[in-house]
Amino acid sequence: MTDQTILHPLRTVQVMRYIMPLREGGSLPALADADDGFCYVLKFKGAGQREKALIAELLGGEIARLLGFKVPELVFATLDEAFGRSEGDEEIQDLLKGSQGLNLGLHFLSKALTFDPGASQVDPMLASKIVWLDAFITNVDRTYRNTNMLLWNRELWLIDHGASFLFHHTWDNWEKQAQSPFPLIKDHVLLPQAHYLGDADRELKQLLSEEKIDQLVGLIPDEWILASRDVETPAEAKSVYSAFLKSRLNHSEVFVNGAEDARKALI
């Protein structure tokens, strides 16, 4: 049966005011106001991993949302040429100059609290699903050191997926990587509580289809892909992202078993 689900495109906003840097992030994200009246955490294409971090953020965040997790709204955020000229910090000014054009923003969750694994417990099924997600997208950045989860309105929200999709930093052997375990899952902050990885696998696989994966990958702006110069055309790169996700989904038992072994090793 054909999947008729249509994913809505991301909104595009114009960044109006740079408020402050968020220096806890290695890529120097920032808090900023946009022309729609909302505040966003901006991820800049001029930062360390450049457009690849934005692609990972976009894909990882929207896959998480499709699977039913709480994720702040993602928007395309445009910086014009004049933005940041009055910024006194030279490092930030250089970052803003190198980020003119299309960037990515996450809706700012005012008064949200950083998830503290020492003070809060997560339902084992929810923990299992989050571990499954991060093993699926090869997200290295949900550890005790940096949980990348927030508590907002008494609910758990997932943020910061820019360190996902490790294969796209080299594009070597992506087919093999798609069907490989994810050893770094051993450092996942929720792995000790992930008692139902098999159940999570069966449930979450039903929510993804080839059509949905193609739609998700279709959200990636062509200019972000071309900026990396890894491929000749955006269509070529998108076909690889789609094939990687489909293959990984079809061989999910590989990364699920790897995660199960890593969890047992903690006991």
Side-chain angles (χ1 to χ4, degrees):
M1 185 166 133
T2 302
D3 189 339
Q4 299 296 325
T5 301
I6 301 298
L7 300 178
H8 296 291
L10 270 63
R11 295 188 301 113
T12 299
V13 301
Q14 182 76 34
V15 180
M16 303 301 291
R17 183 172 69 100
Y18 185 99
I19 300 174
M20 61 182 291
L22 301 173
R23 293 188 180 273
E24 64 270 19
S27 59
L28 205 63
L31 203 59
D33 286 329
D35 62 351
D36 62 351
F38 291 107
C39 191
Y40 295 92
V41 175
L42 289 190
K43 302 297 181 76
F44 297 105
K45 65 181 180 181
Q49 298 296 335
R50 298 195 60 85
E51 287 85 357
K52 289 183 180 179
L54 302 191
I55 291 172
E57 188 78 63
L58 172 59
L59 280 181
E62 291 306 309
I63 288 172
R65 191 187 318 282
L66 183 60
L67 293 177
F69 297 106
K70 298 287 186 181
V71 182
E73 182 190 8
L74 295 174
V75 298
F76 294 125
T78 302
L79 298 184
D80 64 30
E81 293 183 5
F83 192 83
R85 286 179 182 170
S86 61
E87 173 57 47
D89 187 308
E90 189 172 324
E91 180 186 11
I92 294 174
Q93 188 175 106
D94 289 343
L95 174 65
L96 298 178
K97 285 180 179 178
S99 302
Q100 293 172 2
L102 202 62
N103 298 272
L104 194 68
L106 291 83
H107 192 96
F108 178 60
L109 303 181
S110 179
K111 298 182 180 180
L113 301 175
T114 299
F115 173 78
D116 181 353
S120 302
Q121 287 291 312
V122 175
D123 172 79
M125 187 60 188
L126 177 57
S128 300
K129 289 180 178 180
I130 295 173
V131 169
W132 186 96
L133 165 71
D134 290 328
F136 175 51
I137 64 175
T138 63
N139 179 24
V140 304
D141 204 9
R142 198 155 0 246
T143 65
Y144 283 92
R145 180 179 178 183
N146 193 10
T147 64
N148 281 326
M149 293 183 287
L150 300 175
L151 292 173
W152 192 63
N153 291 341
R154 299 184 179 182
E155 293 180 307
L156 191 67
W157 290 69
L158 306 185
I159 60 171
D160 291 348
H161 299 92
S164 306
F165 298 95
L166 298 182
F167 82 91
H168 73 172
H169 293 290
T170 62
W171 293 88
D172 294 334
N173 298 320
W174 66 264
E175 297 98 333
K176 180 180 179 181
Q177 292 189 55
Q179 299 179 27
S180 297
F182 183 51
L184 293 175
I185 204 67
K186 66 181 177 58
D187 299 320
H188 199 288
V189 65
L190 296 182
L191 185 61
Q193 300 170 53
H195 300 294
Y196 303 115
L197 287 167
D199 293 336
D201 181 49
R202 286 185 287 274
E203 181 175 334
L204 295 181
K205 285 179 69 171
Q206 301 304 311
L207 301 178
L208 285 172
S209 65
E210 292 194 352
E211 289 86 355
K212 287 178 180 178
I213 287 172
D214 288 339
Q215 289 177 33
L216 285 164
V217 171
L219 297 173
I220 304 172
D222 289 354
E223 64 186 77
W224 289 357
I225 293 174
L226 292 173
S228 68
R229 301 181 181 178
D230 290 319
V231 293
E232 294 295 327
T233 66
E236 180 184 351
K238 290 180 182 181
S239 69
V240 173
Y241 280 112
S242 288
F244 174 86
L245 286 166
K246 292 170 187 176
S247 178
R248 196 149 183 80
L249 189 66
N250 290 333
H251 297 87
S252 64
E253 71 281 355
V254 175
F255 65 78
V256 169
N257 290 339
E260 287 277 20
D261 290 343
R263 191 181 68 81
K264 290 175 184 176
L266 297 175
I267 301 174

PDB file of all heavy atoms in Angstrom, residues 55-89:
ATOM      1  N   ILE A  55      22.575  19.776   7.849  1.00  0.00           N
ATOM      2  CA  ILE A  55      21.871  18.660   7.211  1.00  0.00           C
ATOM      3  C   ILE A  55      21.543  17.597   8.259  1.00  0.00           C
ATOM      4  O   ILE A  55      20.419  17.066   8.310  1.00  0.00           O
ATOM      5  CB  ILE A  55      22.717  18.063   6.077  1.00  0.00           C
ATOM      6  CG1 ILE A  55      22.816  19.059   4.907  1.00  0.00           C
ATOM      7  CG2 ILE A  55      22.122  16.736   5.595  1.00  0.00           C
ATOM      8  CD1 ILE A  55      23.793  18.644   3.821  1.00  0.00           C
ATOM      9  N   ALA A  56      22.523  17.275   9.111  1.00  0.00           N
ATOM     10  CA  ALA A  56      22.297  16.276  10.157  1.00  0.00           C
ATOM     11  C   ALA A  56      21.243  16.753  11.144  1.00  0.00           C
ATOM     12  O   ALA A  56      20.381  15.972  11.592  1.00  0.00           O
ATOM     13  CB  ALA A  56      23.605  15.967  10.883  1.00  0.00           C
ATOM     14  N   GLU A  57      21.290  18.035  11.497  1.00  0.00           N
ATOM     15  CA  GLU A  57      20.299  18.609  12.409  1.00  0.00           C
ATOM     16  C   GLU A  57      18.902  18.518  11.821  1.00  0.00           C
ATOM     17  O   GLU A  57      17.934  18.150  12.506  1.00  0.00           O
ATOM     18  CB  GLU A  57      20.652  20.068  12.684  1.00  0.00           C
ATOM     19  CG  GLU A  57      19.817  20.724  13.770  1.00  0.00           C
ATOM     20  CD  GLU A  57      20.275  20.333  15.160  1.00  0.00           C
ATOM     21  OE1 GLU A  57      21.419  20.663  15.515  1.00  0.00           O
ATOM     22  OE2 GLU A  57      19.477  19.712  15.882  1.00  0.00           O
ATOM     23  N   LEU A  58      18.789  18.852  10.554  1.00  0.00           N
ATOM     24  CA  LEU A  58      17.496  18.816   9.873  1.00  0.00           C
ATOM     25  C   LEU A  58      16.960  17.398   9.781  1.00  0.00           C
ATOM     26  O   LEU A  58      15.822  17.114  10.193  1.00  0.00           O
ATOM     27  CB  LEU A  58      17.646  19.428   8.482  1.00  0.00           C
ATOM     28  CG  LEU A  58      16.457  19.313   7.523  1.00  0.00           C
ATOM     29  CD1 LEU A  58      15.222  19.969   8.111  1.00  0.00           C
ATOM     30  CD2 LEU A  58      16.801  19.929   6.175  1.00  0.00           C
ATOM     31  N   LEU A  59      17.762  16.488   9.255  1.00  0.00           N
ATOM     32  CA  LEU A  59      17.307  15.111   9.098  1.00  0.00           C
ATOM     33  C   LEU A  59      17.040  14.445  10.451  1.00  0.00           C
ATOM     34  O   LEU A  59      15.995  13.812  10.647  1.00  0.00           O
ATOM     35  CB  LEU A  59      18.351  14.293   8.334  1.00  0.00           C
ATOM     36  CG  LEU A  59      18.399  14.427   6.822  1.00  0.00           C
ATOM     37  CD1 LEU A  59      19.490  13.524   6.248  1.00  0.00           C
ATOM     38  CD2 LEU A  59      17.056  14.106   6.185  1.00  0.00           C
ATOM     39  N   GLY A  60      17.979  14.581  11.376  1.00  0.00           N
ATOM     40  CA  GLY A  60      17.806  13.942  12.673  1.00  0.00           C
ATOM     41  C   GLY A  60      16.600  14.466  13.417  1.00  0.00           C
ATOM     42  O   GLY A  60      15.820  13.690  13.990  1.00  0.00           O
ATOM     43  N   GLY A  61      16.427  15.788  13.412  1.00  0.00           N
ATOM     44  CA  GLY A  61      15.288  16.380  14.112  1.00  0.00           C
ATOM     45  C   GLY A  61      13.953  15.993  13.521  1.00  0.00           C
ATOM     46  O   GLY A  61      12.995  15.677  14.236  1.00  0.00           O
ATOM     47  N   GLU A  62      13.871  15.991  12.187  1.00  0.00           N
ATOM     48  CA  GLU A  62      12.590  15.684  11.549  1.00  0.00           C
ATOM     49  C   GLU A  62      12.279  14.186  11.575  1.00  0.00           C
ATOM     50  O   GLU A  62      11.114  13.798  11.629  1.00  0.00           O
ATOM     51  CB  GLU A  62      12.581  16.225  10.115  1.00  0.00           C
ATOM     52  CG  GLU A  62      12.550  17.751  10.047  1.00  0.00           C
ATOM     53  CD  GLU A  62      11.393  18.352  10.848  1.00  0.00           C
ATOM     54  OE1 GLU A  62      10.236  17.932  10.668  1.00  0.00           O
ATOM     55  OE2 GLU A  62      11.651  19.245  11.683  1.00  0.00           O
ATOM     56  N   ILE A  63      13.308  13.343  11.562  1.00  0.00           N
ATOM     57  CA  ILE A  63      13.062  11.911  11.764  1.00  0.00           C
ATOM     58  C   ILE A  63      12.523  11.684  13.176  1.00  0.00           C
ATOM     59  O   ILE A  63      11.555  10.937  13.377  1.00  0.00           O
ATOM     60  CB  ILE A  63      14.353  11.101  11.535  1.00  0.00           C
ATOM     61  CG1 ILE A  63      14.690  11.057  10.045  1.00  0.00           C
ATOM     62  CG2 ILE A  63      14.212   9.678  12.091  1.00  0.00           C
ATOM     63  CD1 ILE A  63      16.053  10.451   9.735  1.00  0.00           C
ATOM     64  N   ALA A  64      13.134  12.345  14.163  1.00  0.00           N
ATOM     65  CA  ALA A  64      12.657  12.216  15.546  1.00  0.00           C
ATOM     66  C   ALA A  64      11.212  12.671  15.666  1.00  0.00           C
ATOM     67  O   ALA A  64      10.392  12.015  16.324  1.00  0.00           O
ATOM     68  CB  ALA A  64      13.553  13.031  16.484  1.00  0.00           C
ATOM     69  N   ARG A  65      10.888  13.774  15.022  1.00  0.00           N
ATOM     70  CA  ARG A  65       9.506  14.282  15.086  1.00  0.00           C
ATOM     71  C   ARG A  65       8.530  13.291  14.445  1.00  0.00           C
ATOM     72  O   ARG A  65       7.453  13.018  14.977  1.00  0.00           O
ATOM     73  CB  ARG A  65       9.417  15.630  14.360  1.00  0.00           C
ATOM     74  CG  ARG A  65       8.097  16.366  14.599  1.00  0.00           C
ATOM     75  CD  ARG A  65       7.956  17.616  13.733  1.00  0.00           C
ATOM     76  NE  ARG A  65       9.177  18.387  13.637  1.00  0.00           N
ATOM     77  CZ  ARG A  65       9.623  19.200  14.590  1.00  0.00           C
ATOM     78  NH1 ARG A  65       8.950  19.333  15.724  1.00  0.00           N
ATOM     79  NH2 ARG A  65      10.758  19.870  14.437  1.00  0.00           N
ATOM     80  N   LEU A  66       8.919  12.732  13.302  1.00  0.00           N
ATOM     81  CA  LEU A  66       8.065  11.769  12.615  1.00  0.00           C
ATOM     82  C   LEU A  66       7.831  10.519  13.469  1.00  0.00           C
ATOM     83  O   LEU A  66       6.764   9.909  13.420  1.00  0.00           O
ATOM     84  CB  LEU A  66       8.702  11.382  11.277  1.00  0.00           C
ATOM     85  CG  LEU A  66       7.918  10.432  10.381  1.00  0.00           C
ATOM     86  CD1 LEU A  66       6.561  11.020  10.005  1.00  0.00           C
ATOM     87  CD2 LEU A  66       8.702  10.122   9.110  1.00  0.00           C
ATOM     88  N   LEU A  67       8.823  10.175  14.282  1.00  0.00           N
ATOM     89  CA  LEU A  67       8.700   8.995  15.147  1.00  0.00           C
ATOM     90  C   LEU A  67       7.935   9.283  16.433  1.00  0.00           C
ATOM     91  O   LEU A  67       7.752   8.388  17.255  1.00  0.00           O
ATOM     92  CB  LEU A  67      10.089   8.451  15.478  1.00  0.00           C
ATOM     93  CG  LEU A  67      10.871   7.857  14.300  1.00  0.00           C
ATOM     94  CD1 LEU A  67      12.266   7.426  14.736  1.00  0.00           C
ATOM     95  CD2 LEU A  67      10.120   6.685  13.685  1.00  0.00           C
ATOM     96  N   GLY A  68       7.514  10.531  16.610  1.00  0.00           N
ATOM     97  CA  GLY A  68       6.659  10.867  17.747  1.00  0.00           C
ATOM     98  C   GLY A  68       7.349  11.521  18.915  1.00  0.00           C
ATOM     99  O   GLY A  68       6.714  11.761  19.954  1.00  0.00           O
ATOM    100  N   PHE A  69       8.634  11.837  18.786  1.00  0.00           N
ATOM    101  CA  PHE A  69       9.340  12.508  19.873  1.00  0.00           C
ATOM    102  C   PHE A  69       9.024  14.001  19.878  1.00  0.00           C
ATOM    103  O   PHE A  69       8.663  14.583  18.848  1.00  0.00           O
ATOM    104  CB  PHE A  69      10.856  12.316  19.729  1.00  0.00           C
ATOM    105  CG  PHE A  69      11.293  10.885  19.824  1.00  0.00           C
ATOM    106  CD1 PHE A  69      11.685  10.190  18.691  1.00  0.00           C
ATOM    107  CD2 PHE A  69      11.313  10.230  21.043  1.00  0.00           C
ATOM    108  CE1 PHE A  69      12.090   8.870  18.775  1.00  0.00           C
ATOM    109  CE2 PHE A  69      11.719   8.909  21.141  1.00  0.00           C
ATOM    110  CZ  PHE A  69      12.109   8.220  20.004  1.00  0.00           C
ATOM    111  N   LYS A  70       9.179  14.613  21.038  1.00  0.00           N
ATOM    112  CA  LYS A  70       9.034  16.053  21.169  1.00  0.00           C
ATOM    113  C   LYS A  70      10.327  16.713  20.675  1.00  0.00           C
ATOM    114  O   LYS A  70      11.403  16.465  21.234  1.00  0.00           O
ATOM    115  CB  LYS A  70       8.763  16.447  22.623  1.00  0.00           C
ATOM    116  CG  LYS A  70       7.477  15.889  23.199  1.00  0.00           C
ATOM    117  CD  LYS A  70       6.266  16.606  22.635  1.00  0.00           C
ATOM    118  CE  LYS A  70       4.989  16.137  23.319  1.00  0.00           C
ATOM    119  NZ  LYS A  70       3.785  16.806  22.782  1.00  0.00           N
ATOM    120  N   VAL A  71      10.203  17.543  19.645  1.00  0.00           N
ATOM    121  CA  VAL A  71      11.346  18.249  19.067  1.00  0.00           C
ATOM    122  C   VAL A  71      10.906  19.683  18.797  1.00  0.00           C
ATOM    123  O   VAL A  71       9.829  19.902  18.221  1.00  0.00           O
ATOM    124  CB  VAL A  71      11.811  17.591  17.747  1.00  0.00           C
ATOM    125  CG1 VAL A  71      13.031  18.316  17.173  1.00  0.00           C
ATOM    126  CG2 VAL A  71      12.119  16.117  17.961  1.00  0.00           C
ATOM    127  N   PRO A  72      11.701  20.702  19.177  1.00  0.00           N
ATOM    128  CA  PRO A  72      11.332  22.083  18.858  1.00  0.00           C
ATOM    129  C   PRO A  72      11.189  22.263  17.347  1.00  0.00           C
ATOM    130  O   PRO A  72      11.896  21.611  16.561  1.00  0.00           O
ATOM    131  CB  PRO A  72      12.516  22.905  19.394  1.00  0.00           C
ATOM    132  CG  PRO A  72      13.151  22.031  20.425  1.00  0.00           C
ATOM    133  CD  PRO A  72      12.966  20.627  19.947  1.00  0.00           C
ATOM    134  N   GLU A  73      10.286  23.143  16.940  1.00  0.00           N
ATOM    135  CA  GLU A  73      10.102  23.397  15.516  1.00  0.00           C
ATOM    136  C   GLU A  73      11.421  23.837  14.885  1.00  0.00           C
ATOM    137  O   GLU A  73      12.146  24.670  15.419  1.00  0.00           O
ATOM    138  CB  GLU A  73       9.054  24.484  15.279  1.00  0.00           C
ATOM    139  CG  GLU A  73       8.816  24.734  13.786  1.00  0.00           C
ATOM    140  CD  GLU A  73       7.978  25.966  13.498  1.00  0.00           C
ATOM    141  OE1 GLU A  73       7.687  26.726  14.433  1.00  0.00           O
ATOM    142  OE2 GLU A  73       7.615  26.166  12.319  1.00  0.00           O
ATOM    143  N   LEU A  74      11.735  23.262  13.739  1.00  0.00           N
ATOM    144  CA  LEU A  74      12.895  23.669  12.958  1.00  0.00           C
ATOM    145  C   LEU A  74      12.447  24.608  11.843  1.00  0.00           C
ATOM    146  O   LEU A  74      11.414  24.382  11.208  1.00  0.00           O
ATOM    147  CB  LEU A  74      13.585  22.452  12.338  1.00  0.00           C
ATOM    148  CG  LEU A  74      14.215  21.439  13.301  1.00  0.00           C
ATOM    149  CD1 LEU A  74      14.723  20.225  12.529  1.00  0.00           C
ATOM    150  CD2 LEU A  74      15.352  22.072  14.071  1.00  0.00           C
ATOM    151  N   VAL A  75      13.226  25.649  11.613  1.00  0.00           N
ATOM    152  CA  VAL A  75      12.917  26.599  10.538  1.00  0.00           C
ATOM    153  C   VAL A  75      14.199  26.919   9.781  1.00  0.00           C
ATOM    154  O   VAL A  75      15.313  26.857  10.324  1.00  0.00           O
ATOM    155  CB  VAL A  75      12.311  27.918  11.076  1.00  0.00           C
ATOM    156  CG1 VAL A  75      10.987  27.662  11.777  1.00  0.00           C
ATOM    157  CG2 VAL A  75      13.286  28.642  11.994  1.00  0.00           C
ATOM    158  N   PHE A  76      14.049  27.247   8.509  1.00  0.00           N
ATOM    159  CA  PHE A  76      15.158  27.830   7.772  1.00  0.00           C
ATOM    160  C   PHE A  76      15.262  29.294   8.193  1.00  0.00           C
ATOM    161  O   PHE A  76      14.250  29.998   8.249  1.00  0.00           O
ATOM    162  CB  PHE A  76      14.928  27.727   6.268  1.00  0.00           C
ATOM    163  CG  PHE A  76      14.924  26.317   5.746  1.00  0.00           C
ATOM    164  CD1 PHE A  76      13.849  25.832   5.014  1.00  0.00           C
ATOM    165  CD2 PHE A  76      16.002  25.476   5.987  1.00  0.00           C
ATOM    166  CE1 PHE A  76      13.846  24.537   4.530  1.00  0.00           C
ATOM    167  CE2 PHE A  76      16.003  24.172   5.517  1.00  0.00           C
ATOM    168  CZ  PHE A  76      14.922  23.701   4.785  1.00  0.00           C
ATOM    169  N   ALA A  77      16.477  29.725   8.503  1.00  0.00           N
ATOM    170  CA  ALA A  77      16.689  31.076   9.027  1.00  0.00           C
ATOM    171  C   ALA A  77      17.676  31.813   8.124  1.00  0.00           C
ATOM    172  O   ALA A  77      18.816  31.376   7.955  1.00  0.00           O
ATOM    173  CB  ALA A  77      17.219  31.018  10.456  1.00  0.00           C
ATOM    174  N   THR A  78      17.230  32.927   7.559  1.00  0.00           N
ATOM    175  CA  THR A  78      18.032  33.675   6.601  1.00  0.00           C
ATOM    176  C   THR A  78      18.750  34.845   7.262  1.00  0.00           C
ATOM    177  O   THR A  78      18.140  35.624   8.004  1.00  0.00           O
ATOM    178  CB  THR A  78      17.143  34.207   5.463  1.00  0.00           C
ATOM    179  OG1 THR A  78      16.481  33.099   4.833  1.00  0.00           O
ATOM    180  CG2 THR A  78      17.971  34.939   4.423  1.00  0.00           C
ATOM    181  N   LEU A  79      20.044  34.956   6.999  1.00  0.00           N
ATOM    182  CA  LEU A  79      20.842  36.099   7.442  1.00  0.00           C
ATOM    183  C   LEU A  79      21.187  36.946   6.219  1.00  0.00           C
ATOM    184  O   LEU A  79      21.724  36.422   5.239  1.00  0.00           O
ATOM    185  CB  LEU A  79      22.156  35.647   8.097  1.00  0.00           C
ATOM    186  CG  LEU A  79      22.090  34.805   9.370  1.00  0.00           C
ATOM    187  CD1 LEU A  79      23.497  34.569   9.894  1.00  0.00           C
ATOM    188  CD2 LEU A  79      21.245  35.460  10.426  1.00  0.00           C
ATOM    189  N   ASP A  80      20.889  38.250   6.279  1.00  0.00           N
ATOM    190  CA  ASP A  80      21.269  39.093   5.145  1.00  0.00           C
ATOM    191  C   ASP A  80      22.693  39.613   5.321  1.00  0.00           C
ATOM    192  O   ASP A  80      23.337  39.407   6.341  1.00  0.00           O
ATOM    193  CB  ASP A  80      20.274  40.234   4.932  1.00  0.00           C
ATOM    194  CG  ASP A  80      20.229  41.212   6.090  1.00  0.00           C
ATOM    195  OD1 ASP A  80      21.253  41.390   6.777  1.00  0.00           O
ATOM    196  OD2 ASP A  80      19.153  41.810   6.313  1.00  0.00           O
ATOM    197  N   GLU A  81      23.200  40.298   4.311  1.00  0.00           N
ATOM    198  CA  GLU A  81      24.605  40.720   4.297  1.00  0.00           C
ATOM    199  C   GLU A  81      24.935  41.692   5.419  1.00  0.00           C
ATOM    200  O   GLU A  81      26.075  41.735   5.892  1.00  0.00           O
ATOM    201  CB  GLU A  81      24.942  41.354   2.943  1.00  0.00           C
ATOM    202  CG  GLU A  81      24.893  40.372   1.791  1.00  0.00           C
ATOM    203  CD  GLU A  81      25.295  41.015   0.478  1.00  0.00           C
ATOM    204  OE1 GLU A  81      25.697  42.194   0.490  1.00  0.00           O
ATOM    205  OE2 GLU A  81      25.208  40.334  -0.559  1.00  0.00           O
ATOM    206  N   ALA A  82      23.974  42.486   5.841  1.00  0.00           N
ATOM    207  CA  ALA A  82      24.244  43.505   6.856  1.00  0.00           C
ATOM    208  C   ALA A  82      24.228  42.950   8.269  1.00  0.00           C
ATOM    209  O   ALA A  82      24.693  43.613   9.205  1.00  0.00           O
ATOM    210  CB  ALA A  82      23.218  44.630   6.747  1.00  0.00           C
ATOM    211  N   PHE A  83      23.730  41.726   8.432  1.00  0.00           N
ATOM    212  CA  PHE A  83      23.554  41.187   9.771  1.00  0.00           C
ATOM    213  C   PHE A  83      24.909  40.958  10.433  1.00  0.00           C
ATOM    214  O   PHE A  83      25.822  40.351   9.864  1.00  0.00           O
ATOM    215  CB  PHE A  83      22.778  39.868   9.708  1.00  0.00           C
ATOM    216  CG  PHE A  83      22.296  39.394  11.042  1.00  0.00           C
ATOM    217  CD1 PHE A  83      21.114  39.886  11.582  1.00  0.00           C
ATOM    218  CD2 PHE A  83      23.014  38.472  11.779  1.00  0.00           C
ATOM    219  CE1 PHE A  83      20.666  39.461  12.817  1.00  0.00           C
ATOM    220  CE2 PHE A  83      22.578  38.041  13.007  1.00  0.00           C
ATOM    221  CZ  PHE A  83      21.399  38.542  13.534  1.00  0.00           C
ATOM    222  N   GLY A  84      25.061  41.429  11.657  1.00  0.00           N
ATOM    223  CA  GLY A  84      26.255  41.182  12.440  1.00  0.00           C
ATOM    224  C   GLY A  84      27.360  42.196  12.290  1.00  0.00           C
ATOM    225  O   GLY A  84      28.400  42.090  12.950  1.00  0.00           O
ATOM    226  N   ARG A  85      27.174  43.212  11.449  1.00  0.00           N
ATOM    227  CA  ARG A  85      28.247  44.196  11.261  1.00  0.00           C
ATOM    228  C   ARG A  85      28.564  44.965  12.535  1.00  0.00           C
ATOM    229  O   ARG A  85      29.689  45.401  12.746  1.00  0.00           O
ATOM    230  CB  ARG A  85      27.852  45.190  10.151  1.00  0.00           C
ATOM    231  CG  ARG A  85      27.931  44.596   8.747  1.00  0.00           C
ATOM    232  CD  ARG A  85      27.511  45.615   7.715  1.00  0.00           C
ATOM    233  NE  ARG A  85      27.535  45.045   6.365  1.00  0.00           N
ATOM    234  CZ  ARG A  85      27.035  45.648   5.299  1.00  0.00           C
ATOM    235  NH1 ARG A  85      26.464  46.850   5.413  1.00  0.00           N
ATOM    236  NH2 ARG A  85      27.102  45.071   4.116  1.00  0.00           N
ATOM    237  N   SER A  86      27.572  45.132  13.386  1.00  0.00           N
ATOM    238  CA  SER A  86      27.783  45.888  14.621  1.00  0.00           C
ATOM    239  C   SER A  86      28.265  45.013  15.766  1.00  0.00           C
ATOM    240  O   SER A  86      28.503  45.498  16.874  1.00  0.00           O
ATOM    241  CB  SER A  86      26.491  46.601  15.030  1.00  0.00           C
ATOM    242  OG  SER A  86      25.461  45.653  15.264  1.00  0.00           O
ATOM    243  N   GLU A  87      28.418  43.704  15.533  1.00  0.00           N
ATOM    244  CA  GLU A  87      28.858  42.785  16.575  1.00  0.00           C
ATOM    245  C   GLU A  87      30.311  43.085  16.963  1.00  0.00           C
ATOM    246  O   GLU A  87      31.199  43.151  16.109  1.00  0.00           O
ATOM    247  CB  GLU A  87      28.721  41.331  16.086  1.00  0.00           C
ATOM    248  CG  GLU A  87      29.289  40.288  17.011  1.00  0.00           C
ATOM    249  CD  GLU A  87      28.699  40.334  18.397  1.00  0.00           C
ATOM    250  OE1 GLU A  87      27.456  40.405  18.510  1.00  0.00           O
ATOM    251  OE2 GLU A  87      29.478  40.319  19.378  1.00  0.00           O
ATOM    252  N   GLY A  88      30.542  43.281  18.265  1.00  0.00           N
ATOM    253  CA  GLY A  88      31.874  43.646  18.732  1.00  0.00           C
ATOM    254  C   GLY A  88      32.842  42.490  18.821  1.00  0.00           C
ATOM    255  O   GLY A  88      34.057  42.682  18.699  1.00  0.00           O
ATOM    256  N   ASP A  89      32.349  41.286  19.041  1.00  0.00           N
ATOM    257  CA  ASP A  89      33.203  40.108  19.160  1.00  0.00           C
ATOM    258  C   ASP A  89      33.668  39.684  17.767  1.00  0.00           C
ATOM    259  O   ASP A  89      32.859  39.323  16.913  1.00  0.00           O
ATOM    260  CB  ASP A  89      32.440  38.980  19.840  1.00  0.00           C
ATOM    261  CG  ASP A  89      33.297  37.769  20.151  1.00  0.00           C
ATOM    262  OD1 ASP A  89      33.976  37.269  19.235  1.00  0.00           O
ATOM    263  OD2 ASP A  89      33.288  37.323  21.313  1.00  0.00           O
TER     264      ASP A  89
END
